[in-house]
Amino acid sequence: MDGMVRVSTSWWASTIPRRRDEVRGAQGTTADTAAQAVEFVMQQRRHLAVRVAVRRWRPHREERRMGSIGITSCPLRDRVDPRALRFSAAATASVLVVVLLTVGPARPLALGLLASQVAVFGLTAFVSVHWSVWAQIFARYIWPRIGAATELQDAHPARFAQFLGFVLTASALLGFLFGVDGVGYGLTAVALVGAAINAATGVCPGCRIYLMTRRLQRVRA
């Protein structure tokens, strides 16, 4: 019996170093895995920091990309470059001047131009200020040469002003079509004056009306 106890004891003692090595190996493997996980996390953080730095270094990258493919003149749907608004106002004023000068001698041409301007007003008022023909021309040919705007404006007042222009020019077109030229001339002249003021001074009469209406709504609320 004593011999059997001694043999089992010696056998157990001989296995202790091997078990100690196995435990150390397992601990070493766990430590290596943890170190690899920490290194992976650090690499991901470094990659994220580089991406953020590049994005900050090129704050107008998205705006350049959008302008380069001609989708819009600014990257945000509810913000707009004020220079694009003034360019659009100048182009609109030019079209309306031609309409007033040619409605007598070249009536079909004048009514065609007026109808096209009605379509432009409707598109910018009901869809987006960035998708009109004037905004597209500005985004494709003018904006790349003058660079990004230092400040963007809220597009909602501009869209309201475009809606007013749509109402005025559509009514003027109906007046010309039904032979009430006085109404056509008068409403076209009103739209022309508003566009000319916006183009020359940057002050949008329709936008001012929108802001006044919003203030009155807040006071009543």
Side-chain angles (χ1 to χ4, degrees):
M1 185 68 178
D2 293 338
M4 292 177 62
V5 170
R6 280 199 223 72
V7 170
S8 61
T9 303
S10 61
W11 175 82
W12 179 258
S14 65
T15 60
I16 290 177
R18 185 179 61 188
R19 293 178 181 274
R20 187 183 299 118
D21 294 338
E22 292 177 354
V23 171
R24 288 178 180 177
Q27 291 177 349
T29 303
T30 304
D32 293 339
T33 304
Q36 292 175 0
V38 171
E39 180 65 22
F40 176 77
V41 172
M42 295 300 294
Q43 289 179 357
Q44 294 299 317
R45 292 184 64 180
R46 285 194 293 269
H47 290 324
L48 180 60
V50 170
R51 292 177 183 176
V52 172
V54 171
R55 192 178 297 273
R56 290 177 178 175
W57 179 57
R58 298 189 297 175
H60 303 291
R61 177 174 60 88
E62 292 296 328
E63 186 170 352
R64 284 199 295 270
R65 182 177 63 83
M66 296 291 280
S68 63
I69 60 178
I71 293 180
T72 177
S73 58
C74 75
L76 304 178
R77 184 181 178 88
D78 59 345
R79 308 291 289 177
V80 63
D81 190 333
R83 302 169 302 175
L85 296 179
R86 294 187 67 175
F87 173 78
S88 299
T92 299
S94 302
V95 171
L96 295 179
V97 167
V98 174
V99 169
L100 291 177
L101 294 177
T102 59
V103 71
R107 193 178 186 88
L109 174 62
L111 296 185
L113 288 175
L114 185 58
S116 65
Q117 186 58 53
V118 172
V120 170
F121 276 138
L123 182 65
T124 54
F126 298 110
V127 180
S128 173
V129 294
H130 307 302
W131 288 5
S132 70
V133 61
W134 309 129
Q136 292 299 300
I137 293 174
F138 179 85
R140 289 174 181 271
Y141 304 108
I142 298 178
W143 185 91
R145 291 172 174 79
I146 62 177
T150 58
E151 183 180 1
L152 300 177
Q153 294 181 357
D154 184 10
H156 293 92
R159 292 184 65 178
F160 179 78
Q162 296 293 307
F163 172 74
L164 294 181
F166 171 79
V167 172
L168 289 174
T169 52
S171 302
L173 180 61
L174 292 176
F176 285 125
L177 290 176
F178 287 100
V180 189
D181 289 359
V183 174
Y185 277 111
L187 295 178
T188 304
V190 172
L192 170 60
V193 170
I197 292 175
N198 190 5
T201 65
V203 176
C204 174
C207 301
R208 296 299 179 90
I209 295 174
Y210 173 85
L211 296 175
M212 291 175 59
T213 304
R214 295 290 293 175
R215 291 193 192 100
L216 290 176
Q217 289 177 348
R218 293 192 189 97
V219 170
R220 291 179 181 179

